[in-house]
Amino acid sequence: MTPLIQVAGLKRHYQMGGTTVRALDGVDIEIPAHTFTVVMGPSGSGKSSLLYLLGGLDRPTAGEISINGERLDQMDENALALFRRKMMGFIFQSFNLVSSMSAMENVAFPMQFSGIPVMERNQKSLQLLGQVGLADRSGHTPSELSGGQQQRVAVARALINDPQLVFADEPTGNLDTASGVTVMQLLSDLHKSGRTVLVVTHDQRMTRFATHKIFLLDGHIVSEEEYKSATLALDNQGE
Amino acid sequence: MKLIDLIRLVVNNLNRRKARVGLTAIGVVIGTAAVVILVSLAIGLQMNANEQLYGIGNLSQINVSPNYGGGGGGYGGPMVQIAGSLDTGESALLTPRAIKDLQALPGVVSVIPREYLNAQMYVTYKKMQGYSSIIGVATEDLTTFGLEADQGITGLSRASVVIGPQVAMGFYDPNLRPGQETPPPPDLYDQQIQLTILKYDADGNEIRKNISVRVAGVLAETGAESDWSIYMPLDQVASINEWANGFRVNRNKDGYTEVIVTVENPDKTIEVRDQIIALGYQAFTMLDFVQGINNFYTILQVVLGGVGAIALLVAAIGIANTMAMSILERTREIGLMKAVGATNRDVLAIFLGEAAGIGFIGGAGGVLIGWLAGQGLNVVAVVYLAQQAAQQGGMPPSVAVYTPIWLPVFVLLFSVFIGMVSGLYPALRAATMIPVQALKYE
Ligand SMILES: Nc1ncnc2c1ncn2[C@@H]1O[C@H](COP(=O)(O)OP(=O)(O)O)[C@@H](O)[C@H]1O
Ligand SMILES: [Mg+2]
């Protein structure tokens, strides 16, 4: 069986004035369906760059990205948008909720682009809010919710189009420990319900739920041992 | 994205920034209100002018007169400026053959010679006397000129005449003694009236000729020349003229003094008029005059509309600015929309919709205010103008400012259009943002 996500020779270079930042510099990955993959790496190692490329939100400098056998790097903007709409859900470190909308409206937000009637959207939104434990907060705007609650709204929003794939970029990065654990638990539940989850983080605790682990250092994939020794060295340097 | 969802989202987004949207829309309100008031004013003025033009005559008629050659065509009177002629120096006479040529022009319905009675005369009915112009026309029925009978018939024959409705008004009793009551105007219909024509012999002796005719019809009012005229067959008038002036006319040599060309409809008038001039005759039509006036008011409408449009231009800059700011502030929201599957077209539609919405809100407010202001102006101005008319004579105007239904509809659509044009550049920027950059925007 071919893996759900296949990446070969992936590069993402940024041009910064005269210098080239090699955020990703030749990455090969295979991720089977129904897995929980955690991409670990220190800050600046290229984790977010990788996630945005896999989500079709950015264009690679070189390399191939296939999801479900379809080449993302060859799709045009419109095809990418439609692909994201039916295949993917995103969770960001900074929640990215629309501040003027209620929790229910935020969760239902992606559905309005697919032409689903408003009644159905709201119904599904309420159901998902219940699933993340916020049934009683559906009418609240983001400013009336705690960080952990906001991120749970974001998780519900990622699920509204029933995507096969869920991408999360540092989902616990802005959260206190307890809230972080709740969100991790929710992501683990998504995996258990059959979705493919890919989390990018430098939060060591996430690896607890992982079926697959990927370690990134300076735009390259490394083994767990290499990663551990390198990060130890980094930590020692820090002290 | 469905239209209903688009509208709902646009309304929500505008609702979210009420103060800013409101302030931006005020610019549009001012611009559209100005356009509505000023154009309504120009239209009102034009309607007044057209009301005053009532009675100017039949616009599908062309008065053609011969060109006697030698330049300096003397059509005479104030109409000379708009009576066109091609001064070739050659003469072009209205002989029966020439009339056939005119008849053959495409669009021409009839070509009818006309001649005024050219002698001193008066009309008598019982004890009363009146003066009236007598027009001889070479037609059996005045309906050819678009005239209608109020009483009796429009047909002409040797022993009967058809008169205009105002003819009777000019009758008076010459033997009325002071203190006696002025008699009311007579009802001349179906009555015998007597035409008395005067001429003088070489010794200065007065010679009279009396012709008794029956009034076979009274015409309906037109406001034009026919109201004050008595119509007779052309031959009859021509022979009276010959008798009075002692000059025998040979039609084949001298032609007629004037013919009236009637065309199918006023759209053809100018074209046929030009062809007649090209044949060397002098021709003029009241349509030139009316068109000149209408052109003036159309220009006035455009100019006044343009003044309002300048205010709209300022408003457009305001919309563009508001949209650009809004898009900058909502960059991350745009990134999110794209991440959750909004296409570039969806994003474009949302922001264009918001810009159009500002245009619509402002346009609706401006149309309402402009219309109300116009109505208010009407009440004041009509009263004032009616007083003026009462003092100086003339017809009081019925409206000063007139807003035809197309104007608010057009202005509203235009303000929506202005909104979209102003929002186009910011919306395109939003639509083409790279998702990852929009999402990371601080
Ligand atoms: N838009 C950009 N322009 C220039 N450099 C960038 C840009 N985005 C990321 N980088 C650089 O690429 C490297 C990887 O960044 P990123 O993928 O965000 O890492 P991580 O998410 O692991 O912290 C960093 O050195 C970062 O400074
Ligand atoms: Mg990152």
Side-chain angles (χ1 to χ4, degrees):
Chain A
M1 205 186 94
T2 55
L4 180 64
I5 302 177
Q6 267 182 304
V7 172
L10 187 63
K11 292 186 183 175
R12 181 64 172 102
H13 296 175
Y14 299 100
Q15 227 59 50
M16 288 283 284
T19 61
T20 304
V21 181
R22 298 166 192 276
L24 291 174
D25 205 17
V27 167
D28 305 293
I29 304 172
E30 291 197 344
I31 299 172
H34 316 298
T35 53
F36 192 116
T37 304
V38 174
V39 180
M40 292 289 298
S43 179
S45 58
K47 305 184 296 295
S48 295
S49 298
L50 176 65
L51 181 122
Y52 288 126
L53 287 170
L54 294 181
L57 296 168
D58 197 9
R59 297 283 185 181
T61 308
E64 294 174 9
I65 306 165
S66 302
I67 292 183
N68 226 3
E70 299 198 49
R71 285 283 294 273
L72 258 60
D73 51 298
Q74 289 174 349
M75 286 185 191
D76 64 18
E77 291 282 314
N78 196 51
L80 278 175
L82 299 178
F83 194 72
R84 282 195 294 270
R85 189 186 292 179
K86 71 169 200 284
M87 281 289 291
M88 303 172 184
F90 290 93
I91 298 158
F92 304 98
Q93 179 172 359
S94 51
F95 323 136
N96 275 336
L97 300 178
V98 181
S99 59
S100 60
M101 291 183 179
S102 70
M104 182 186 76
E105 288 165 334
N106 264 292
V107 173
F109 188 77
M111 253 190 166
Q112 66 191 332
F113 300 109
S114 13
I116 288 153
V118 66
M119 292 282 277
E120 197 181 326
R121 301 204 295 254
N122 290 345
Q123 210 177 330
K124 181 114 188 260
S125 169
L126 287 176
Q127 178 213 323
L128 284 168
L129 278 172
Q131 211 170 305
V132 298
L134 290 173
D136 54 342
R137 294 283 192 274
S138 62
H140 292 220
T141 58
S143 62
E144 295 162 350
L145 297 171
S146 73
Q149 287 169 330
Q150 287 185 56
Q151 194 63 305
R152 275 144 71 193
V153 173
V155 172
R157 179 181 64 194
L159 300 178
I160 192 88
N161 279 333
D162 222 345
Q164 207 177 328
L165 253 167
V166 176
F167 291 117
D169 186 9
E170 310 265 16
T172 58
N174 283 5
L175 301 181
D176 59 89
T177 314
S179 306
V181 171
T182 317
V183 169
M184 278 186 233
Q185 197 62 56
L186 279 173
L187 292 173
S188 167
D189 291 345
L190 297 185
H191 166 234
K192 283 182 192 132
S193 68
R195 284 175 233 271
T196 308
V197 180
L198 187 138
V199 182
V200 149
T201 184
H202 65 270
D203 188 341
Q204 198 68 44
R205 298 171 301 167
M206 268 295 184
T207 51
R208 190 153 41 111
F209 304 101
T211 60
H212 288 61
K213 288 179 236 174
I214 294 172
F215 298 95
L216 265 183
L217 273 181
D218 294 333
H220 294 276
I221 292 181
V222 296
S223 67
E224 189 161 4
E225 293 73 39
E226 274 179 90
Y227 180 78
K228 286 233 165 90
S229 59
T231 46
L232 258 176
L234 275 174
D235 286 349
N236 291 340
Q237 255 174 19
E239 276 163 19
Chain B
M1 193 171 188
K2 276 194 194 158
L3 187 64
I4 175 78
D5 289 326
L6 178 66
I7 292 169
R8 186 180 288 126
L9 187 64
V10 164
V11 168
N12 279 340
N13 286 346
L14 291 176
N15 213 15
R16 210 159 124 180
R17 294 171 173 79
K18 281 196 196 72
R20 189 187 295 168
V21 167
L23 286 172
T24 312
I26 284 175
V28 184
V29 170
I30 293 168
T32 47
V35 171
V36 170
I37 293 175
L38 293 174
V39 175
S40 297
L41 189 64
I43 293 170
L45 289 173
Q46 178 171 23
M47 286 176 70
N48 272 317
N50 281 339
E51 272 176 26
Q52 312 289 330
L53 283 179
Y54 164 77
I56 196 153
N58 193 328
L59 297 180
S60 47
Q61 279 180 7
I62 304 166
N63 294 34
V64 182
S65 51
N67 200 338
Y68 294 110
Y75 199 87
M79 299 310 179
V80 78
Q81 297 117 318
I82 51 173
S85 73
L86 255 175
D87 222 335
T88 55
E90 269 175 54
S91 63
L93 300 178
L94 291 167
T95 57
R97 253 186 59 201
I99 288 172
K100 279 208 181 101
D101 291 345
L102 295 180
Q103 191 93 59
L105 291 174
V108 170
V109 175
S110 66
V111 179
I112 292 164
R114 179 169 89 166
E115 190 169 326
Y116 287 85
L117 186 84
N118 192 10
Q120 210 181 321
M121 60 78 66
Y122 59 87
V123 192
T124 326
Y125 169 66
K126 290 186 180 161
K127 282 192 174 119
M128 303 182 83
Q129 257 181 39
Y131 299 96
S132 188
S133 73
I134 295 184
I135 305 175
V137 284
T139 183
E140 275 160 18
D141 199 315
L142 292 175
T143 48
T144 339
F145 293 124
L147 295 170
E148 284 165 14
D150 199 27
Q151 287 171 295
I153 56 166
T154 51
L156 295 176
S157 67
R158 252 200 114 69
S160 68
V161 294
V162 175
I163 65 171
Q166 301 283 341
V167 169
M169 305 296 170
F171 274 71
Y172 67 102
D173 186 351
N175 300 317
L176 194 73
R177 263 170 263 132
Q180 265 186 313
E181 210 177 302
T182 321
D187 181 6
L188 297 177
Y189 172 60
D190 207 18
Q191 302 296 310
Q192 284 300 127
I193 57 172
Q194 188 166 287
L195 311 179
T196 305
I197 299 101
L198 311 172
K199 75 169 178 180
Y200 301 89
D201 65 13
D203 304 329
N205 299 319
E206 188 183 271
I207 309 172
R208 287 166 182 251
K209 183 187 179 90
N210 287 327
I211 304 164
S212 185
V213 288
R214 194 178 64 88
V215 177
V218 179
L219 295 171
E221 200 168 290
T222 62
E225 179 189 38
S226 65
D227 286 1
W228 303 280
S229 300
I230 296 176
Y231 284 91
M232 293 173 78
L234 180 93
D235 293 345
Q236 209 172 355
V237 171
S239 62
I240 297 171
N241 278 340
E242 281 177 3
W243 174 82
N245 303 322
F247 173 73
R248 279 204 71 83
V249 180
N250 179 349
R251 295 295 183 199
N252 287 322
K253 229 179 97 228
D254 307 321
Y256 293 92
T257 51
E258 185 186 23
V259 299
I260 307 297
V261 173
T262 306
V263 297
E264 277 166 27
N265 61 58
D267 295 346
K268 292 252 167 66
T269 307
I270 298 297
E271 194 187 320
V272 173
R273 193 268 324 261
D274 290 344
Q275 283 174 307
I276 293 173
I277 288 173
L279 289 173
Y281 305 101
Q282 300 191 58
F284 102 91
T285 157
M286 274 300 175
L287 195 62
D288 287 317
F289 188 57
V290 174
Q291 275 189 342
I293 289 176
N294 277 327
N295 284 348
F296 169 75
Y297 283 104
T298 307
I299 290 169
L300 190 68
Q301 275 178 44
V302 171
V303 168
L304 291 184
V307 170
I310 291 172
L312 266 180
L313 185 72
V314 176
I317 295 169
I319 295 178
N321 181 52
T322 296
M323 289 311 295
M325 276 186 41
S326 174
I327 279 157
L328 218 57
E329 284 169 15
R330 287 155 70 193
T331 301
R332 275 155 69 94
E333 189 181 318
I334 294 163
L336 175 81
M337 286 196 260
K338 295 193 155 201
V340 301
T343 59
N344 290 4
R345 266 184 58 186
D346 290 332
V347 177
L348 185 72
I350 290 165
F351 285 97
L352 271 187
E354 289 182 25
I358 297 175
F360 180 82
I361 292 167
V367 162
L368 193 70
I369 289 175
W371 183 78
L372 285 175
Q375 296 306 302
L377 212 62
N378 247 347
V379 174
V380 177
V382 167
V383 170
Y384 173 76
L385 289 175
Q387 279 173 358
Q388 291 263 304
Q391 280 169 18
Q392 295 162 11
M395 248 186 295
S398 51
V399 287
V401 181
Y402 180 76
T403 312
I405 186 70
W406 64 263
L407 183 61
V409 172
F410 171 78
V411 167
L412 196 58
L413 288 178
F414 189 66
S415 53
V416 169
F417 174 75
I418 287 275
M420 286 179 78
V421 170
S422 322
L424 186 62
Y425 177 68
L428 271 173
R429 285 224 352 227
T432 53
M433 274 181 191
I434 296 164
V436 64
Q437 282 176 7
L439 278 165
K440 281 190 188 168
Y441 184 86
E442 295 297 328

